[in-house]
């Protein structure tokens, strides 16, 4: 039976502060690139190859594999904003000009 | 902390990555998408994917610029009012197409029904309980009432539903992880205390299944909120490989407190509450493992069954997330199994013996499992035949007397980084909260 329904929209609204992403370098020459592996299988293999290609294609460049330099950054599931921020601080302490992360299964 | 990033994701997880970034305010984010999967693929294939993606990684690292999309700025309260013309069938079709239902029929959240549902709580409708991940939709009490109406709840169920949602919103529960994982996770909601009988929460035969109105409708309403307000939608950002009916109706049951063995404590008392308090305990869980032991006549025999049934590898935590060894697990002990065990053992003895028996040798861990060094730091030196426990200590096992007659128990393992969270149930006119406390939000006693 057709009728008119006066309803409450159940979706709710999203209200988040816009995040301003930082500017990136125009070139990686002379810069420090940190590679971050989150511990998911083969992400390290992927980033190892990125490291090799960076060293071959960009000169000079300093590449830091975070999972070797700071093993506690291997974290498949951070679980909270606090832990994510702590992890980011550890990466930032390496003074990178760029962080490349490999995520996913 | 200002560091530019490039994130590499596989095609199957790109949507989740972008949705997650958006929920944090990153309207645009530099992603490089590579064909799924990386895991379990031969190393040479992974290297080729890396080589093919490399030019784009370089471009994203140096040339990427954000777009000009904007974020919505609507107020959370009051929720938008909408008018629909048509039949109930038409309404359900519209809701499903808009992403406002799970695929099951809903009752229309009319302004009258929502107002009626709000009589079940003393919390003002504008109260914001929190932002529901992964979408980070703002959850007001008015919206809870709308979803309760859609699920067919009665107003008196509202305090239990609100307590369960508050527990889910507690950062310790890590609902974002559980709602978006490839695993088959769902909400486990256990109710304790006088509220069980006051509102008719089923706590005995088949309590977590069908035909129990309060349990089913609260479980349905919970998942409506998680899916519609929280945006945990399959196939993305909810990446569950298979999914489960518990994505539609969450696990909800009361502890069978009438069947508690003498000297054993109910779940909420184990969690630090008083026995006469009404409490909801929440844990994002993998599907339970069922113990169907019809034959044991001693606790020792029964324990042997458990020892061969579950292990640290029952959850991902064993091989992947060492943090899980610090989490709590819930053993839903069937009343008949509880009676057998309690004939000889105290509750703590059962937990200790369970902890000692349920282990797996280190040799069961995959070669590539990360964090083995952390595991060794926590547990000391180990060899391949060292038997690894599920938890660091026996008291991390919580017991709940679950269900009715029958020789069946259920082992609930949490998703990694998801703590068990308990919230006291506030009731209109009851002892759980005062109006003053309610005006500050329903932030009562919690663990």
């Amino acid at each position: 039976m057709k009728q008119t329904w006066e309803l409450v929209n159940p979706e709710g609204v999203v209200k988040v502060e816009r995040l301003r992403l930082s500017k990136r370098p125009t070139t990686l020459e002379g810069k420090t690139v940190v590679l971050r592996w989150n511990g998911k299988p083969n992400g390290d293999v992927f980033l190892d190859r990125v490291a090799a290609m960076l060293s071959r294609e960009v000169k000079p460049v300093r590449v830091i594999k975070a999972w070797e330099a700071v093993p506690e950054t291997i974290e498949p599931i951070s679980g909270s904003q606090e832990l994510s921020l702590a992890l980011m601080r550890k990466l930032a302490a390496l003074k990178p000009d760029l962080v490349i992360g490999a995520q996913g299964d | 902390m200002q560091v530019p990033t490039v994130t590499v994701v596989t095609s199957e997880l790109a949507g989740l990555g972008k949705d997650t970034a958006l929920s944090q305010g990153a309207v645009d984010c530099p992603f490089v998408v590579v064909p799924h999967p990386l895991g379990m693929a031969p190393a040479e294939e992974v290297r080729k994917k890396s080589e093919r993606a490399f030019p784009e990684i370089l471009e994203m690292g140096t040339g990427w610029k954000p777009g000009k999309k904007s974020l919505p700025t609507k107020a959370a309260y009051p929720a938008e009012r909408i008018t629909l013309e048509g039949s109930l069938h038409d309404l359900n079709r519209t809701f499903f197409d808009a992403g406002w239902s799970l695929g099951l029929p809903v009752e229309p959240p009319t302004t009258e029904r929502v107002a009626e549902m709000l009589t079940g709580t003393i919390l003002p409708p504008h109260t914001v309980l929190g932002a529901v991940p992964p979408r980070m939709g703002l959850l007001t009490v008015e919206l809870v009432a709308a979803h309760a109406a859609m699920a067919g709840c009665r107003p008196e169920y509202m305090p239990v539903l609100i307590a369960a949602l508050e527990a889910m919103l507690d950062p310790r529960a890590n609902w974002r992880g559980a709602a978006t994982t490839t695993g088959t996770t769902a909400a486990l909601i256990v109710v304790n205390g006088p509220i069980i009988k006051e509102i008719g929460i089923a706590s005995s035969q088949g309590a977590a299944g069908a035909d129990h109105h309060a349990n089913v409708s609260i479980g349905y309403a919970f998942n409506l909120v998680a899916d519609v307000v929280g945006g945990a939608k399959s196939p993305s950002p909810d990446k569950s490989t298979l999914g489960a009916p518990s994505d539609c109706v969450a696990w909800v049951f009361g502890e069978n407190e009438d069947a508690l063995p003498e000297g054993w404590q109910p779940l909420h008392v184990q969690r630090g509450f008083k026995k006469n308090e009404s409490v909801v305990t929440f844990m994002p869980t993998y599907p339970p493992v069922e113990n169907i032991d019809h034959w044991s006549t001693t606790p020792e025999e029964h324990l042997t069954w458990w020892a061969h049934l579950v292990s640290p590898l029952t959850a991902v935590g064993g091989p992947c997330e060492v943090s899980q060894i610090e989490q709590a697990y819930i053993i839903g002990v069937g009343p008949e199994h509880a009676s057998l065990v309690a004939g000889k053992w105290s509750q703590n003895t059962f937990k200790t013996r369970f902890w000692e028996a349920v282990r797996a040798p280190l040799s069961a861990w995959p070669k590539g499992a990360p964090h083995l060094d952390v595991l060794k730091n926590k547990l000391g030196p180990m060899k391949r035949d060292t038997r690894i426990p599920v938890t660091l200590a026996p008291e991390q096992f919580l017991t709940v007397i679950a269900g009715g007659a029958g020789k069946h128990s259920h082992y609930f393992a949490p998703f990694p980084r998801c703590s068990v969270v308990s919230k006291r149930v506030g009731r209109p006119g009851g002892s759980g909260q005062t109006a003053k406390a309610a005006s500050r939000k329903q932030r009562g006693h919690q663990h």
Side-chain angles (χ1 to χ4, degrees):
Chain A
M1 189 178 75
K2 291 193 183 299
Q3 66 179 94
T4 301
W5 309 92
E6 299 294 335
L7 302 162
V8 174
N9 181 335
E11 190 173 33
V13 302
V14 176
K15 227 172 186 179
V16 288
E17 294 288 319
R18 188 183 181 115
L19 199 63
R20 299 279 169 202
L21 298 186
S22 42
K23 284 188 180 168
R24 44 213 59 234
T26 53
T27 173
L28 296 182
E29 286 175 19
K31 307 291 185 190
T32 297
V33 178
V34 166
L35 304 179
R36 193 257 163 166
W37 173 46
N38 68 348
K40 296 267 185 167
N42 281 340
D44 53 343
V45 176
F46 186 96
L47 289 171
D48 261 332
R49 195 75 189 125
V50 170
M53 286 186 291
L54 275 171
S55 299
R56 194 181 70 198
E57 305 277 333
V58 185
K59 289 181 179 165
V61 66
R62 183 173 173 235
V63 179
I64 299 174
K65 296 175 187 176
W67 67 94
E68 291 175 358
V70 195
E72 57 268 33
T73 59
I74 305 171
E75 197 61 79
I77 299 157
S78 67
S80 72
Q81 296 276 21
E82 280 175 12
L83 288 169
S84 292
L85 279 171
L87 198 150
M88 281 191 267
R89 284 191 200 99
K90 285 174 190 161
L91 294 173
L94 298 170
K95 310 269 185 214
D97 296 293
L98 179 71
V99 174
I100 300 170
Q103 322 280 333
D105 294 356
Chain B
M1 194 162 38
Q2 289 279 310
V3 180
T5 61
V6 175
T7 305
V8 180
V9 289
T10 69
S11 47
E12 280 295 328
L13 295 167
L16 171 59
K18 288 172 184 175
D19 286 342
T20 303
L22 182 61
S23 72
Q24 302 301 303
V27 179
D28 285 308
C29 221
F31 282 100
V32 174
V33 181
V34 299
H36 189 79
L38 293 183
M40 299 182 99
E44 196 45 45
E45 188 181 314
V46 174
R47 290 189 195 101
K48 281 188 179 143
K49 287 181 184 180
S50 182
E51 286 164 14
R52 282 195 284 270
F54 185 70
E56 191 181 353
I57 292 172
L58 269 189
E59 170 60 25
M60 288 286 186
T62 55
W64 179 85
K65 285 186 182 137
K68 291 183 179 170
K69 285 186 219 161
S70 58
L71 288 165
T73 55
K74 283 185 195 167
Y77 178 85
E80 180 188 17
R81 266 49 180 176
I82 50 177
T83 303
L84 290 182
E85 304 271 351
S87 65
L88 183 58
H89 176 80
D90 295 333
L91 179 143
N92 268 288
R93 185 63 184 265
T94 300
F95 267 47
F96 182 71
D97 289 347
W100 298 344
S101 75
L102 307 173
L104 293 173
V106 296
E107 285 193 21
T110 60
T111 48
E112 294 82 6
R113 274 290 287 154
V114 172
E116 185 191 352
M117 208 57 64
L118 284 167
T119 63
T121 176
I122 58 171
L123 292 176
H126 64 263
T127 307
V128 176
L129 299 180
V132 187
R135 174 174 167 256
M136 305 307 278
L138 288 181
L139 183 62
T140 61
V141 169
E142 181 193 42
L143 273 189
V144 176
H147 287 279
M150 286 160 67
C153 288
R154 296 177 186 144
E156 59 265 34
Y157 303 164
M158 281 286 282
V160 168
L161 176 59
I162 288 171
L165 290 165
E166 286 204 315
M168 176 259 268
L169 290 165
D170 190 312
R172 294 171 298 173
N174 183 23
W175 182 248
R176 175 187 292 279
T180 58
T181 176
T182 48
T184 307
T185 51
L188 170 64
I189 297 161
V190 183
V191 185
N192 278 98
I195 195 83
I196 290 176
K197 289 183 177 158
E198 287 170 14
I199 67 168
I201 295 276
S203 58
S204 182
Q205 211 69 34
D211 304 312
H212 304 292
H213 189 265
N215 303 37
V216 170
S217 60
I218 290 170
Y220 184 21
F222 180 96
N223 279 350
L224 277 167
V225 170
D227 190 271
V228 178
V229 184
K233 291 194 166 294
S234 177
S236 184
D238 176 356
K239 297 303 300 179
S240 183
T241 299
L242 179 61
S246 48
D247 290 333
C248 289
V249 179
W251 290 90
V252 177
F253 62 90
E255 175 160 13
N256 191 340
E257 295 179 8
D258 293 339
L260 263 170
E262 197 178 329
W264 283 42
Q265 293 179 335
L267 178 62
H268 65 312
V269 175
Q270 295 168 63
R271 300 281 299 147
F273 292 87
K274 292 178 186 155
K275 195 170 180 192
N276 63 357
E277 289 182 296
S278 292
V279 174
V280 164
T281 297
F282 172 81
M283 184 181 85
T285 182
Y286 288 106
V289 178
E290 182 176 7
N291 180 316
I292 48 172
D293 179 7
H294 285 246
W295 294 275
S296 294
T297 55
T298 65
E300 290 84 356
E301 280 184 290
H302 181 58
L303 196 69
T304 302
W305 193 297
W306 274 119
H308 289 90
L309 188 65
V310 294
S311 87
L313 305 186
T314 305
V316 71
C320 176
E321 258 285 344
V322 175
S323 65
Q324 210 159 1
I325 204 168
E326 295 170 349
Q327 293 177 224
Y329 291 64
I330 293 179
I331 309 169
V333 187
E336 293 189 30
H337 285 162
S339 178
L340 170 70
V341 170
K344 189 169 178 185
W345 291 345
S346 70
Q347 191 173 20
N348 286 341
T349 301
F350 172 62
K351 291 181 183 184
T352 301
R353 298 292 293 269
F354 189 97
W355 179 74
E356 289 168 346
V358 175
R359 299 188 175 208
L362 184 63
S363 57
W365 263 246
K367 199 170 63 179
H371 289 319
L372 280 177
D373 52 334
V374 181
L375 197 62
K376 286 170 187 167
N377 285 344
K378 286 182 190 294
L379 298 174
M382 53 181 71
K383 296 185 251 175
R384 282 180 61 73
D385 61 352
T386 302
R387 296 173 68 243
I388 312 295
V390 176
T391 60
L392 289 175
E395 52 269 28
Q396 287 167 248
F397 290 113
L398 300 167
T399 59
V400 54
I401 305 302
K407 294 159 183 68
H408 301 261
S409 293
H410 297 82
Y411 175 83
F412 294 90
F415 184 71
R417 302 270 187 197
C418 293
S419 298
V420 173
V421 177
S422 299
K423 301 280 182 184
R424 192 170 58 189
V425 177
R427 283 170 289 166
S431 59
Q433 65 180 156
T434 62
K436 190 177 173 187
S439 69
R440 291 196 304 265
K441 283 172 59 172
Q442 191 179 8
R443 294 288 182 206
H445 193 169
Q446 52 186 287
H447 291 276

